[in-house]
Amino acid sequence: MDLIIVESPTKAKTISKFLSDDVNVIATMGHLKDLPKSKLGVDIEKNFKPDYVVVKGREGNIEEMVKLAKKADKIFLATDPDREGEAIAYHANELFQENAKGKISQDNVKRIVFHEITNEAVKKAIESPRSINKKLIDAQIARRVLDRLVGYELSPLLWKKVRRGLSAGRVQTIAVRLIVEREREIEKFKPDEYWEIFCEVAQAKGEKIKLTVRLVRIDDKKADVSNKKDADEVVAGLNKAKYKVLAINKREVKKNPNPPFTTSTMTQAAASFYHWSAKKTMSVAQRLYEEGLITYHRTDSTNIADSAIKKVRSYIEKEYGKKYIPEEPKLYKTKSKSAQEAHEAIRATKMKAIIKVSGRYGKDAEKLYGLIWNRFVACQMKEAIYDETTIEVEGVDGKKYLLRTSGRITKFDGWRKVIKKTGNNEEQELPPLTVDEQLKLIKVIPNQKFTEPPPRYNEASIIRTLEKLGIGRPSTYAPTISTIQMRNYVEKKERKFYSTPVGVAVNDFLLANFPDVFEYSFTAKMENDLDEIAKGQKEWEKLISEFWIPVGKKLKKVEKNAKRVKIEVEKLGKKCPTCKEGELVIRIGRFGKFISCSRFPDCKHTEKYIEKIGMKCPDCKKGDVIIRQTKKKRKFFGCSQYPDCEWASWRKPTPEKSTSSS
Ligand SMILES: [Zn+2]
Ligand SMILES: [Zn+2]
């Protein structure tokens, strides 16, 4: 009887389907050992030796695992193909030795990895087992110890200097920093005025076909119109000018499909299409992976297995015809220098376009699968070809005005066959005009515009930025983004991230006192160093000591010398009803926003914070619709009359259509 060890019951169930009855599959339910919660668990004096202890609640699993392992002929550690998975495998093996020394031979314990949970992949993995990779474990330990030192040693400092209960994080702080800095750019931003001027013209003869063109140059100089006075002058000139078709340029434009998904691009796509958080996307992807429907979802590689390319090419030929297959399979270079141990892009494992998944995440799993499947198939199809036409119009009235428009039509849809276009203004066919043809002006359309501040980050753009800076990793995007919200450092409103006063205070304090540690390039280098440890090019203890010794010294100085930071508060513009002296302000506590007196701690007045959306409750019609939060910080809409009125909804109620007579 053999034993296979995996992390989760769903994965265990999927694997069991491929194996004969004389194999036991058992789930660890996640990490078996970790640093203790109650203390640092890192011996700084002894070369940062970590003190891994059994995770609370896993004792039963471990007992069962050891019992089965003692009876097993061979033990396969089949945890996920990355550093976390390697660490779980390592700790499982350690527990076998600790609990059944001598009864479990090391020769019988094997590590197997596969990137998809399919019959073929699992069997192949069992045929080529390896031993546990100590380098991957080292990289995992290094990250854990690093984050533990920053978290457990810097947090008490925040308690002293900013507010009790706060926590510091290494990568989280960088994400908060991005959001805070963007907030400040927006505050500082001064919009510039500019004018976009269009002319509607028509053929002077024949069918009188109309065309709208945009002013681009005046007398061979870029048409920079930045105020009303200049705009009026230009409009007057255009109104008097004589027009003709100056040039018609046609060219063929090819558009390649996007590479297959990585963790980063998949979470960005799900955020754009479905407005999902990275955390949700990763949970749904986890389900798909464990059901054997997609390859491993934590990856930064765009590589595709040869066998999968063969399958998808024959699918494309059968389904869409030979002209949709490129001569050679399309290969995508992995952009990330650090591409981790997981060696494949996220793709469907089977050529089924539509799947059925029941239970929790079922409907969402089907949606995400659709995105992944489409992207995978499209990435191996031929490029789309467009005919792009640009028409240049010249207007002359003393000055020479150059106006232009362009449009494109599809010549061959290629991969667009699978990924339909969104929005309908992409395609525009231009009328069949001829060069030198006279045109008549119908009207001039001047539009006053202002430059926009840089946009606030959303779920997709923050991930894109972290990846671009070299800071994000497949295993960290989702936890980083959800942690900074849980800690109230940033909040999401209308899908955009805003920094909170607490977030700003923590960010400014950490940046002022530990400028090196929270530098973008420093954090990127640290992630890179962790990758080098995984490749065996660096020792983890050395990395940690080089990092921590200066920081530890600085910490003592900051503790002694740094001033306490004041958290900015938002004023409500009302007097405190208790002391009649202070003002009511909005503060952010550990449990979210609340209202208190500006004279705290002298006056202890507090009130619940209620965020109204300017709508009456659709049920009782008396209360206001307010935004509330579940214990897990999920926002929902409720009635201000709660508990008298229990109306609640995940969705924003739509204003009632019927006009009330009262
Ligand atoms: Zn007061
Ligand atoms: Zn109500």
Side-chain angles (χ1 to χ4, degrees):
M1 192 92 168
D2 291 341
L3 176 66
I4 294 186
I5 291 171
V6 296
E7 293 96 335
S8 82
T10 315
K11 190 171 164 182
K13 215 176 102 200
T14 308
I15 288 191
S16 304
K17 281 188 250 166
F18 313 131
L19 303 167
S20 59
D21 290 339
D22 60 350
V23 179
N24 275 316
V25 186
I26 187 170
T28 65
M29 310 303 287
H31 275 283
L32 296 166
K33 284 185 172 189
D34 196 2
L35 295 176
K37 274 209 162 116
S38 56
K39 55 174 191 202
L40 182 63
V42 175
D43 196 338
I44 296 174
E45 304 301 314
K46 287 198 178 126
N47 216 2
F48 302 93
K49 193 175 180 300
D51 175 23
Y52 276 94
V53 296
V54 169
V55 173
K56 273 216 177 73
R58 298 279 185 279
E59 297 84 356
N61 282 70
I62 292 168
E63 199 179 312
E64 175 77 10
M65 252 174 49
V66 172
K67 207 177 87 194
L68 289 169
K70 278 191 210 160
K71 292 189 293 192
D73 298 318
K74 274 200 200 105
I75 302 163
F76 295 103
L77 304 166
T79 44
D80 288 343
D82 59 9
R83 295 173 200 170
E84 297 290 317
E86 202 73 15
I88 297 171
Y90 177 79
H91 287 144
N93 188 36
E94 217 174 50
L95 286 161
F96 293 152
Q97 302 315 311
E98 285 165 15
N99 292 292
K101 215 168 192 164
K103 294 204 182 93
I104 298 168
S105 160
Q106 275 300 283
D107 295 341
N108 296 335
V109 183
K110 302 284 177 204
R111 168 82 168 118
I112 57 170
V113 282
F114 36 82
H115 299 279
E116 55 179 69
I117 309 169
T118 54
N119 191 2
E120 197 191 4
V122 172
K123 293 219 163 113
K124 219 168 117 190
I126 290 175
E127 279 162 25
S128 52
R130 62 165 167 84
S131 48
I132 287 169
N133 184 339
K134 192 66 181 41
K135 292 177 236 162
L136 298 182
I137 315 276
D138 284 350
Q140 202 270 346
I141 292 174
R143 178 186 290 284
R144 200 74 193 89
V145 168
L146 203 56
D147 290 344
R148 176 54 68 109
L149 286 169
V150 172
Y152 276 45
E153 298 281 289
L154 291 194
S155 297
L157 187 66
L158 292 180
W159 290 38
K160 255 193 206 159
K161 304 287 183 183
V162 188
R163 202 186 64 205
R164 281 188 71 78
L166 295 175
S167 22
R170 198 172 55 87
V171 181
Q172 291 95 287
T173 304
I174 294 288
V176 175
R177 182 179 170 188
L178 283 169
I179 293 162
V180 170
E181 283 178 352
R182 181 55 55 91
E183 197 88 42
R184 288 185 173 146
E185 275 175 69
I186 294 169
E187 262 169 41
K188 267 202 330 231
F189 184 81
K190 289 198 186 70
D192 284 325
E193 183 182 352
Y194 69 96
W195 288 72
E196 271 181 1
I197 301 172
F198 295 89
C199 285
E200 200 182 325
V201 291
Q203 283 176 303
K205 291 186 189 129
E207 291 187 55
K208 312 260 160 85
I209 302 170
K210 284 183 194 168
L211 183 71
T212 302
V213 283
R214 183 184 164 181
L215 176 67
V216 285
R217 300 181 88 85
I218 304 172
D219 280 345
D220 292 328
K221 267 189 255 129
K222 199 175 167 234
D224 271 326
V225 182
S226 58
N227 58 56
K228 175 92 169 56
K229 192 176 150 275
D230 290 357
D232 287 345
E233 208 173 287
V234 173
V235 170
L238 287 169
N239 269 319
K240 282 185 284 175
K242 294 260 171 293
Y243 294 87
K244 68 166 186 179
V245 177
L246 186 69
I248 298 171
N249 298 313
K250 281 194 178 158
R251 62 183 192 128
E252 204 180 76
V253 182
K254 285 184 181 166
K255 200 162 181 333
N256 278 310
N258 283 315
F261 279 141
T262 59
T263 302
S264 157
T265 51
M266 175 184 71
T267 43
Q268 287 177 48
S272 308
F273 283 104
Y274 304 136
H275 310 307
W276 289 359
S277 68
K279 193 178 169 195
K280 174 169 179 177
T281 306
M282 289 306 274
S283 303
V284 176
Q286 174 98 28
R287 173 79 195 275
L288 287 169
Y289 163 69
E290 290 182 351
E291 296 275 358
L293 296 162
I294 61 168
T295 49
Y296 193 47
H297 55 295
R298 288 190 194 93
T299 176
D300 46 16
S301 168
T302 47
N303 186 33
I304 299 175
D306 291 343
S307 57
I309 287 192
K310 254 184 222 143
K311 267 194 265 176
V312 73
R313 281 173 71 87
S314 70
Y315 176 88
I316 294 165
E317 176 166 3
K318 205 176 98 228
E319 217 51 38
Y320 309 113
K322 218 179 176 95
K323 62 177 180 175
Y324 284 93
I325 330 171
E327 267 166 48
E328 295 290 321
K330 286 188 183 286
L331 300 179
Y332 295 94
K333 266 217 187 92
T334 298
K335 265 198 224 126
S336 146
K337 277 182 288 174
S338 59
Q340 289 191 3
E341 300 72 36
H343 298 301
E344 260 210 84
I346 303 168
R347 60 163 172 85
T349 57
K350 298 180 185 83
M351 291 320 306
K352 269 194 295 192
I354 293 164
I355 50 146
K356 278 261 152 278
V357 180
S358 57
R360 194 171 178 227
Y361 291 137
K363 279 277 159 280
D364 289 336
E366 291 166 19
K367 277 161 91 176
L368 183 62
Y369 179 86
L371 272 189
I372 295 168
W373 190 91
N374 283 346
R375 180 96 163 207
F376 168 48
V377 175
C379 91
Q380 290 305 322
M381 289 173 80
K382 262 205 166 145
E383 56 267 36
I385 302 169
Y386 304 92
D387 269 334
E388 196 179 81
T389 308
T390 304
I391 297 183
E392 291 190 337
V393 170
E394 187 182 62
V396 181
D397 163 54
K399 283 185 173 155
K400 262 199 315 199
Y401 302 95
L402 180 67
L403 303 104
R404 190 183 284 153
T405 188
S406 60
R408 54 153 69 156
I409 50 163
T410 305
K411 203 171 177 187
F412 174 64
D413 58 355
W415 60 277
R416 284 289 197 192
K417 188 113 193 144
V418 184
I419 298 181
K420 298 281 183 291
K421 271 166 293 215
T422 47
N424 43 13
N425 48 4
E426 191 173 302
E427 218 154 293
Q428 192 204 347
E429 191 161 10
L430 295 180
L433 301 174
T434 47
V435 176
D436 284 336
E437 185 174 352
Q438 299 298 310
L439 298 167
K440 234 176 71 190
L441 177 72
I442 298 172
K443 63 178 171 201
V444 183
I445 311 155
N447 289 330
Q448 186 191 32
K449 298 249 170 151
F450 292 93
T451 52
E452 301 263 351
R456 288 209 157 73
Y457 286 107
N458 58 29
E459 199 88 31
S461 63
I462 192 93
I463 292 172
R464 196 160 50 235
T465 307
L466 287 169
E467 184 177 43
K468 216 174 91 196
L469 290 170
I471 291 164
R473 289 295 181 272
S475 58
T476 60
Y477 296 118
T480 301
I481 294 167
S482 70
T483 305
I484 59 177
Q485 291 175 82
M486 284 297 279
R487 289 182 180 164
N488 290 312
Y489 292 164
V490 306
E491 55 180 342
K492 200 153 80 173
K493 284 189 267 189
E494 307 276 305
R495 301 187 198 114
K496 294 189 180 74
F497 290 114
Y498 291 74
S499 57
T500 66
V502 181
V504 170
V506 169
N507 175 72
D508 291 355
F509 177 80
L510 290 176
L511 229 72
N513 292 294
F514 302 92
D516 308 345
V517 179
F518 300 107
E519 194 50 62
Y520 297 124
S521 58
F522 179 83
T523 309
K525 183 174 180 298
M526 194 58 104
E527 290 295 322
N528 224 1
D529 287 341
L530 291 173
D531 295 337
E532 279 180 10
I533 292 171
K535 288 182 212 143
Q537 294 159 347
K538 221 180 188 101
E539 265 176 72
W540 79 264
E541 291 94 338
K542 196 159 169 276
L543 176 77
I544 304 285
S545 73
E546 279 169 6
F547 167 74
W548 190 251
I549 288 167
V551 175
K553 273 188 200 144
K554 189 78 199 279
L555 191 80
K556 291 209 177 73
K557 271 193 210 151
V558 174
E559 202 168 3
K560 235 175 84 190
N561 304 327
K563 278 206 199 93
R564 232 189 117 84
V565 179
K566 259 190 87 175
I567 300 173
E568 287 289 324
V569 288
E570 197 182 318
K571 286 177 185 160
L572 276 180
K574 278 188 205 155
K575 280 256 176 266
C576 167
T578 306
C579 68
K580 313 257 192 304
E581 252 182 79
E583 259 191 276
L584 291 183
V585 296
I586 301 172
R587 295 185 200 273
I588 301 170
R590 253 195 282 181
F591 306 104
K593 288 184 179 172
F594 67 99
I595 294 170
S596 86
C597 178
S598 60
R599 290 179 57 241
F600 180 85
D602 295 336
C603 170
K604 299 228 160 37
H605 177 89
T606 62
E607 287 173 25
K608 253 203 238 159
Y609 174 76
I610 292 167
E611 198 171 345
K612 290 181 192 171
I613 64 164
M615 212 181 269
K616 285 281 171 208
C617 168
D619 192 13
C620 70
K621 324 259 188 220
K622 266 188 282 172
D624 290 303
V625 174
I626 57 170
I627 296 176
R628 299 174 57 198
Q629 274 189 352
T630 64
K631 279 199 189 106
K632 288 194 166 164
K633 299 245 157 106
R634 185 163 170 203
K635 283 188 179 157
F636 68 97
F637 298 90
C639 178
S640 61
Q641 299 285 314
Y642 179 85
D644 290 339
C645 170
E646 290 185 337
W647 178 87
S649 165
W650 290 119
R651 285 170 190 281
K652 194 170 178 171
T654 42
E656 275 183 64
K657 284 174 204 112
S658 62
T659 43
S660 134
S661 52
S662 63

